[in-house]
Each structure stands twice: as structure tokens, then as C-alpha cells.
Amino acid sequence: MNYNRRKFIQSAGALALGGMAMSGKAASLLSNMAPHPIGLQLFTFFGVIDEDVKGTLTKIAALGYKDMESAFSKKGGYYGMKPKEFKAMVNGLGMNWTSHHVLGAPFKLPPGTKLPNGADGKPMVIPPMKNLRDNMQELVDDAAAGGIKYLVCANSPTSTLDEIKSTIEVLNKTGEATKKVGIQFAYHNHDMEFHAVEGKVPYDLLLSETDPHNVKMELDLAWAVKGGKNPVEMFKQHPGRFPLWHVKDLDAERKTILPVGSGTIDFKPIFAAAKSAGMQHFFVEHDGPKDPLASITASIKYLKGTLKV
């Protein structure tokens, strides 16, 4: 059974897309866009990478991925390592460890859901995961020890106005703490933040009530479109607020995540607007793929060959 990030973190749902036409002006902008290293969110290999961390990273490096964004691990910590150990391994393979995901509040499985089975066929067992609400300074200190540029809140409760208020407080406090150690903090979205809660849109509140300098956004392009947003318009409305992106594709039925370039999202106008977004790094991601290596191989071929990023 495939579990995507929302099932793993908070809730489930099918993705939806919006069509965006590629204008001649956008094509010109794309062709002149400064190249960015192609990154990978290691959640793509969740449940796989812990079996052989160095072997997995070696295969990823061989494909040409340069920026790593780490995520949750069955082994705890940084795939069972201390921050400096993980950094040394990544750097030793010719890649950069750029960003790391943490939870905003204690992790809870959605009612009626279970963790997927591991490689041994048994349900995964994950050690308690630290979160920003309860362990903020420790997580920030670990990130600083690893020398990463970005710390990202992967998910935080936004189902009620009280939860949204609490999340905003956590984000602002973390942004202040990361600023002190020279790290940029950011928030990663799903689609739930774009659906009104008690008459308010959570994402609008997150944007307006967090410090725009201390709290940037990592825009998951597919989840944003699922929430009814056009990423290019978001960039125009909040220029420079989106230094990080997650890049994934979706099928025509808007249910299945696919390798980048294999689905229905038109990435050309989005990448053409990278400057207005303030994009500095982007990470390919495929939640719960049957064959992670095959997926990221197809994605990087498209990004290098068709988009020429």
C-alpha cells in the first residue's frame, strides 16, 4: 500500500491540478533562467534508505542530484547518525546537505490509518519524533551542528483557529531561533492549509502573521494546486517568499503521484517564474513510489533534458 506524505503526517486526499499555459514570454524567461542544482527530498526513499543509507545516497549521487533535503527516519535522528556524521557522508559523495524537515507538533496518525510495512513485510516501527513545539531549541541546535542552510517545518496542525494560532506562534519562535544561528526557517505546505477553517484560510494567516524574513515558505507545487492555487500568481502576490520548492507530478485523474514530467503539471511557467518566487533550491519528491530509484531517474532526465534546469 502506497502512503504519501499526507497519509504519513496528517491526512489523506487526492491531488488536483490547474492548467497553466506556456507563453512565448515564459519560454524565453525559462531559457535564460540561471541554473540551480537539482535536489532531492529523501522522503522519496522513506522506508528504504534506512536499510542502506550510504548505498542509497551513492545511487542518488550517481544520477546527478546535488542538493539533499533530509526527512524522517526509522532509525531516528539523521538516518541513525549525528548531524556532522550525516553531513560528512553526503559531502563525501559530492552532494550538499541543504535542508532538513522537522515536525511542528507531536506526530499523530490519522484515525483509521496505519504505518506501511517495511522491507521485512512487517509494520514500520518509528522512534518518537521530536517536534518544534516541544523540542525547538534542540532541533535548531542540531541543524546548526550539521551546517545546513534551511530548517523546514514539514507539517503543523491547522484544523482549527486555535491550532493555527499555536502553529503561528511556533513558527515565529523557531524563525527567531534559527536566525540567531544563521539558518533560514521555512514552512512546507500540503493542500489542507488552503481550505477555509472557520471562515479563515490557514495559509493566508501563515503568510500574514509570521515574520516574512524569519519564516519563508517551501512551496509544494502539487499540493498548492490541489488547494486551488496557481503558484505563479502566489509568487506575484508574495515575491521572494518562496526560496524552496517541492517538485512532483500527477496523473490525469489527480490521484497518483508520478515522476516529474510524466503527468499533467506544466512546470515550464512555474520555473520561468523562479526569480519572482525567490527560489534558491528545489527538491524532487515522490511520495511512496513503488520504485524510488526509477522515479527519480525519470524526473532528473526530464528536468535536465526538457526543462534544462
Side-chain angles (χ1 to χ4, degrees):
M1 180 177 182
N2 287 338
Y3 275 71
N4 63 29
R5 180 188 296 278
R6 279 195 72 200
K7 288 180 181 177
F8 173 71
I9 296 178
Q10 184 160 356
S11 58
L15 297 175
L17 304 177
M20 292 174 284
M22 178 61 173
S23 68
K25 182 178 180 181
S28 176
L29 287 171
L30 184 65
S31 64
N32 294 323
M33 186 180 70
H36 291 266
I38 299 178
L40 181 70
Q41 164 53 256
L42 291 175
F43 186 78
T44 303
F45 284 83
F46 180 72
V48 176
I49 188 172
D50 288 309
E51 305 302 322
D52 182 4
V53 180
K54 187 172 184 179
T56 301
L57 291 173
T58 299
K59 293 175 182 177
I60 292 169
L63 292 174
Y65 286 91
K66 295 299 183 183
D67 277 349
M68 293 297 101
E69 183 174 62
S70 49
F72 317 104
S73 167
K74 294 189 299 179
K75 292 184 175 182
Y78 301 88
Y79 307 97
M81 289 173 271
K82 297 294 184 182
K84 290 183 179 179
E85 292 178 275
F86 183 69
K87 176 182 176 64
M89 179 178 288
V90 172
N91 291 166
L93 294 169
M95 300 183 295
N96 295 314
W97 181 26
T98 301
S99 179
H100 179 64
H101 268 206
V102 294
L103 294 177
F107 167 69
K108 293 182 180 179
L109 276 172
T113 62
K114 298 179 181 179
L115 286 171
N117 291 335
D120 58 2
K122 299 178 181 179
M124 290 183 183
V125 177
I126 300 176
M129 291 182 286
K130 295 182 174 69
N131 65 87
L132 293 172
R133 191 194 73 183
D134 301 333
N135 317 101
M136 183 263 289
Q137 194 58 55
E138 182 181 354
L139 292 172
V140 171
D141 290 343
D142 280 349
I148 59 176
K149 294 171 62 177
Y150 296 89
L151 182 67
V152 180
C153 178
N155 174 272
S156 191
T158 57
S159 298
T160 67
L161 286 181
D162 284 342
E163 286 185 346
I164 296 168
K165 180 181 178 181
S166 177
T167 287
I168 289 171
E169 290 176 353
V170 169
L171 297 183
N172 278 323
K173 287 180 181 178
T174 306
E176 292 173 359
T178 55
K179 181 181 180 180
K180 292 178 181 178
V181 296
I183 292 174
Q184 178 65 63
F185 183 56
Y187 180 83
H188 166 272
N189 66 281
H190 296 84
D191 78 289
M192 59 192 177
E193 296 93 336
F194 300 106
H195 302 305
V197 174
E198 301 177 45
K200 303 287 186 178
V201 177
Y203 202 78
D204 290 346
L205 295 177
L206 295 178
L207 281 168
S208 64
E209 297 188 19
T210 57
D211 186 301
H213 302 291
N214 293 347
V215 183
K216 298 293 186 179
M217 298 292 169
E218 177 173 63
L219 192 67
D220 189 302
L221 302 175
W223 286 120
V225 177
K226 157 69 175 175
K229 295 293 184 178
N230 179 331
V232 176
E233 290 302 315
M234 294 178 71
F235 303 155
K236 291 178 181 178
Q237 293 165 8
H238 304 279
R241 196 75 189 270
F242 306 93
L244 306 178
W245 295 356
H246 273 190
V247 186
K248 65 184 66 157
D249 215 334
L250 298 144
D251 69 348
E253 294 182 358
R254 303 173 180 178
K255 294 181 179 180
T256 303
I257 297 173
L258 299 170
V260 181
S262 302
T264 52
I265 294 181
D266 184 359
F267 291 102
K268 292 180 180 179
I270 299 175
F271 273 85
K275 186 175 181 179
S276 64
M279 190 268 278
Q280 299 297 316
H281 302 272
F282 68 90
F283 304 98
V284 169
E285 182 182 44
H286 189 158
D287 312 47
K290 292 182 178 179
D291 187 338
L293 195 64
S295 174
I296 70 168
T297 298
S299 291
I300 199 167
K301 285 183 178 179
Y302 173 81
L303 289 165
K304 286 185 173 182
T306 301
L307 286 188
K308 301 185 185 304
V309 298

